[in-house]
Tab-separated table of all heavy atoms in Angstrom:
chain	number	residue	atom	x	y	z
B	100	LEU	N	-93.218	-123.623	-106.111
B	100	LEU	CA	-93.671	-122.415	-106.810
B	100	LEU	C	-94.520	-122.761	-108.022
B	100	LEU	O	-95.193	-121.916	-108.577
B	100	LEU	CB	-92.464	-121.598	-107.279
B	100	LEU	CG	-91.834	-120.650	-106.267
B	100	LEU	CD1	-90.636	-119.977	-106.903
B	100	LEU	CD2	-92.847	-119.609	-105.821
B	101	GLY	N	-94.468	-124.013	-108.468
B	101	GLY	CA	-95.187	-124.403	-109.670
B	101	GLY	C	-94.334	-125.361	-110.474
B	101	GLY	O	-93.104	-125.410	-110.297
B	102	ALA	N	-94.973	-126.103	-111.363
B	102	ALA	CA	-94.274	-127.179	-112.074
B	102	ALA	C	-93.121	-126.657	-112.914
B	102	ALA	O	-92.100	-127.319	-113.064
B	102	ALA	CB	-95.264	-127.932	-112.954
B	103	GLU	N	-93.262	-125.428	-113.460
B	103	GLU	CA	-92.212	-124.949	-114.380
B	103	GLU	C	-90.905	-124.627	-113.676
B	103	GLU	O	-89.866	-124.493	-114.297
B	103	GLU	CB	-92.710	-123.744	-115.197
B	103	GLU	CG	-92.965	-122.482	-114.405
B	103	GLU	CD	-94.415	-122.402	-113.932
B	103	GLU	OE1	-94.971	-123.432	-113.493
B	103	GLU	OE2	-94.984	-121.315	-114.005
B	104	TYR	N	-90.953	-124.533	-112.327
B	104	TYR	CA	-89.718	-124.239	-111.575
B	104	TYR	C	-89.001	-125.511	-111.125
B	104	TYR	O	-87.929	-125.440	-110.545
B	104	TYR	CB	-90.036	-123.394	-110.348
B	104	TYR	CG	-90.519	-122.003	-110.688
B	104	TYR	CD1	-91.872	-121.704	-110.700
B	104	TYR	CD2	-89.604	-121.003	-111.005
B	104	TYR	CE1	-92.317	-120.436	-111.020
B	104	TYR	CE2	-90.036	-119.737	-111.321
B	104	TYR	CZ	-91.395	-119.456	-111.321
B	104	TYR	OH	-91.822	-118.202	-111.636
B	105	ALA	N	-89.630	-126.682	-111.382
B	105	ALA	CA	-89.107	-127.924	-110.798
B	105	ALA	C	-87.713	-128.268	-111.300
B	105	ALA	O	-86.962	-128.978	-110.640
B	105	ALA	CB	-90.060	-129.071	-111.092
B	106	SER	N	-87.323	-127.752	-112.467
B	106	SER	CA	-86.031	-128.152	-113.023
B	106	SER	C	-84.898	-127.220	-112.589
B	106	SER	O	-83.767	-127.391	-113.001
B	106	SER	CB	-86.118	-128.187	-114.542
B	106	SER	OG	-86.413	-126.897	-115.011
B	107	TYR	N	-85.206	-126.217	-111.754
B	107	TYR	CA	-84.158	-125.268	-111.361
B	107	TYR	C	-83.211	-125.901	-110.349
B	107	TYR	O	-83.635	-126.609	-109.454
B	107	TYR	CB	-84.783	-124.004	-110.750
B	107	TYR	CG	-85.343	-123.051	-111.776
B	107	TYR	CD1	-85.963	-123.526	-112.915
B	107	TYR	CD2	-85.244	-121.677	-111.594
B	107	TYR	CE1	-86.477	-122.663	-113.852
B	107	TYR	CE2	-85.759	-120.799	-112.533
B	107	TYR	CZ	-86.387	-121.301	-113.659
B	107	TYR	OH	-86.886	-120.438	-114.580
B	108	ASP	N	-81.917	-125.605	-110.495
B	108	ASP	CA	-80.934	-126.066	-109.526
B	108	ASP	C	-80.094	-124.874	-109.090
B	108	ASP	O	-79.255	-124.387	-109.835
B	108	ASP	CB	-80.055	-127.152	-110.161
B	108	ASP	CG	-78.951	-127.588	-109.219
B	108	ASP	OD1	-78.976	-127.153	-108.051
B	108	ASP	OD2	-78.083	-128.352	-109.656
B	109	LEU	N	-80.356	-124.377	-107.895
B	109	LEU	CA	-79.648	-123.179	-107.433
B	109	LEU	C	-78.544	-123.528	-106.436
B	109	LEU	O	-78.048	-122.656	-105.736
B	109	LEU	CB	-80.634	-122.210	-106.776
B	109	LEU	CG	-81.706	-121.635	-107.681
B	109	LEU	CD1	-82.595	-120.687	-106.915
B	109	LEU	CD2	-81.082	-120.908	-108.856
B	110	SER	N	-78.144	-124.826	-106.395
B	110	SER	CA	-77.234	-125.217	-105.313
B	110	SER	C	-75.882	-124.501	-105.394
B	110	SER	O	-75.183	-124.403	-104.399
B	110	SER	CB	-77.041	-126.730	-105.303
B	110	SER	OG	-76.634	-127.166	-106.566
B	111	PHE	N	-75.519	-123.988	-106.593
B	111	PHE	CA	-74.239	-123.271	-106.660
B	111	PHE	C	-74.277	-121.986	-105.852
B	111	PHE	O	-73.239	-121.403	-105.546
B	111	PHE	CB	-73.864	-122.968	-108.121
B	111	PHE	CG	-74.758	-121.969	-108.802
B	111	PHE	CD1	-74.399	-120.629	-108.839
B	111	PHE	CD2	-75.947	-122.359	-109.395
B	111	PHE	CE1	-75.215	-119.706	-109.449
B	111	PHE	CE2	-76.764	-121.439	-110.001
B	111	PHE	CZ	-76.398	-120.112	-110.030
B	112	LEU	N	-75.482	-121.525	-105.501
B	112	LEU	CA	-75.588	-120.297	-104.710
B	112	LEU	C	-75.478	-120.548	-103.211
B	112	LEU	O	-75.545	-119.606	-102.431
B	112	LEU	CB	-76.937	-119.626	-104.990
B	112	LEU	CG	-77.048	-118.837	-106.277
B	112	LEU	CD1	-78.450	-118.292	-106.430
B	112	LEU	CD2	-76.047	-117.693	-106.275
B	113	SER	N	-75.303	-121.847	-102.820
B	113	SER	CA	-75.469	-122.118	-101.391
B	113	SER	C	-74.429	-121.400	-100.529
B	113	SER	O	-74.767	-120.917	-99.453
B	113	SER	CB	-75.470	-123.616	-101.107
B	113	SER	OG	-74.420	-124.249	-101.764
B	114	PHE	N	-73.170	-121.296	-100.993
B	114	PHE	CA	-72.163	-120.602	-100.166
B	114	PHE	C	-72.612	-119.195	-99.835
B	114	PHE	O	-72.596	-118.756	-98.684
B	114	PHE	CB	-70.817	-120.498	-100.892
B	114	PHE	CG	-70.128	-121.805	-101.114
B	114	PHE	CD1	-69.175	-121.941	-102.105
B	114	PHE	CD2	-70.441	-122.898	-100.332
B	114	PHE	CE1	-68.541	-123.146	-102.310
B	114	PHE	CE2	-69.812	-124.104	-100.534
B	114	PHE	CZ	-68.856	-124.223	-101.528
B	115	ILE	N	-73.021	-118.468	-100.873
B	115	ILE	CA	-73.319	-117.051	-100.676
B	115	ILE	C	-74.586	-116.887	-99.840
B	115	ILE	O	-74.673	-116.014	-98.970
B	115	ILE	CB	-73.382	-116.340	-102.057
B	115	ILE	CG1	-72.925	-114.903	-101.930
B	115	ILE	CG2	-74.736	-116.404	-102.674
B	115	ILE	CD1	-72.597	-114.280	-103.260
B	116	MET	N	-75.578	-117.788	-100.058
B	116	MET	CA	-76.813	-117.709	-99.283
B	116	MET	C	-76.542	-118.023	-97.807
B	116	MET	O	-77.025	-117.333	-96.913
B	116	MET	CB	-77.840	-118.705	-99.817
B	116	MET	CG	-78.377	-118.373	-101.176
B	116	MET	SD	-79.544	-117.011	-101.120
B	116	MET	CE	-81.052	-117.903	-100.865
B	117	PHE	N	-75.761	-119.082	-97.569
B	117	PHE	CA	-75.491	-119.482	-96.192
B	117	PHE	C	-74.756	-118.381	-95.443
B	117	PHE	O	-75.108	-118.038	-94.314
B	117	PHE	CB	-74.659	-120.770	-96.150
B	117	PHE	CG	-75.437	-122.015	-96.487
B	117	PHE	CD1	-74.806	-123.232	-96.619
B	117	PHE	CD2	-76.808	-121.961	-96.666
B	117	PHE	CE1	-75.512	-124.377	-96.934
B	117	PHE	CE2	-77.535	-123.090	-96.984
B	117	PHE	CZ	-76.881	-124.309	-97.119
B	118	ILE	N	-73.719	-117.824	-96.072
B	118	ILE	CA	-72.911	-116.860	-95.343
B	118	ILE	C	-73.701	-115.573	-95.130
B	118	ILE	O	-73.597	-114.934	-94.082
B	118	ILE	CB	-71.553	-116.610	-96.034
B	118	ILE	CG1	-70.582	-115.938	-95.080
B	118	ILE	CG2	-71.670	-115.775	-97.282
B	118	ILE	CD1	-70.097	-116.816	-93.987
B	119	ALA	N	-74.557	-115.227	-96.104
B	119	ALA	CA	-75.384	-114.031	-95.922
B	119	ALA	C	-76.364	-114.247	-94.773
B	119	ALA	O	-76.553	-113.371	-93.927
B	119	ALA	CB	-76.134	-113.707	-97.205
B	120	THR	N	-76.974	-115.450	-94.725
B	120	THR	CA	-77.884	-115.752	-93.616
B	120	THR	C	-77.160	-115.647	-92.289
B	120	THR	O	-77.670	-115.041	-91.334
B	120	THR	CB	-78.424	-117.198	-93.727
B	120	THR	OG1	-78.751	-117.437	-95.069
B	120	THR	CG2	-79.598	-117.409	-92.842
B	121	ILE	N	-75.964	-116.233	-92.238
B	121	ILE	CA	-75.233	-116.237	-90.970
B	121	ILE	C	-74.896	-114.817	-90.545
B	121	ILE	O	-75.154	-114.419	-89.400
B	121	ILE	CB	-73.964	-117.100	-91.098
B	121	ILE	CG1	-74.344	-118.567	-91.194
B	121	ILE	CG2	-73.041	-116.868	-89.920
B	121	ILE	CD1	-73.235	-119.468	-91.628
B	122	ALA	N	-74.351	-114.016	-91.494
B	122	ALA	CA	-73.951	-112.661	-91.119
B	122	ALA	C	-75.164	-111.847	-90.671
B	122	ALA	O	-75.112	-111.116	-89.679
B	122	ALA	CB	-73.259	-111.982	-92.295
B	123	THR	N	-76.284	-112.004	-91.388
B	123	THR	CA	-77.478	-111.254	-91.018
B	123	THR	C	-78.009	-111.702	-89.667
B	123	THR	O	-78.368	-110.875	-88.823
B	123	THR	CB	-78.593	-111.464	-92.057
B	123	THR	OG1	-77.993	-111.693	-93.319
B	123	THR	CG2	-79.505	-110.303	-92.130
B	124	MET	N	-78.073	-113.030	-89.474
B	124	MET	CA	-78.610	-113.542	-88.217
B	124	MET	C	-77.764	-113.086	-87.031
B	124	MET	O	-78.299	-112.712	-85.990
B	124	MET	CB	-78.658	-115.075	-88.229
B	124	MET	CG	-79.833	-115.670	-88.957
B	124	MET	SD	-81.362	-114.820	-88.675
B	124	MET	CE	-81.601	-115.176	-86.940
B	125	VAL	N	-76.440	-113.107	-87.215
B	125	VAL	CA	-75.573	-112.689	-86.113
B	125	VAL	C	-75.857	-111.234	-85.759
B	125	VAL	O	-75.992	-110.877	-84.584
B	125	VAL	CB	-74.091	-112.902	-86.489
B	125	VAL	CG1	-73.194	-112.228	-85.491
B	125	VAL	CG2	-73.778	-114.379	-86.540
Side-chain angles (χ1 to χ4, degrees):
Chain B
L100 276 178
E103 67 268 42
Y104 293 98
S106 62
Y107 282 37
D108 176 8
L109 296 181
S110 54
F111 68 95
L112 281 178
S113 47
F114 293 158
I115 211 164
M116 291 285 270
F117 285 174
I118 196 71
T120 317
I121 289 167
T123 330
M124 280 319 293
V125 169

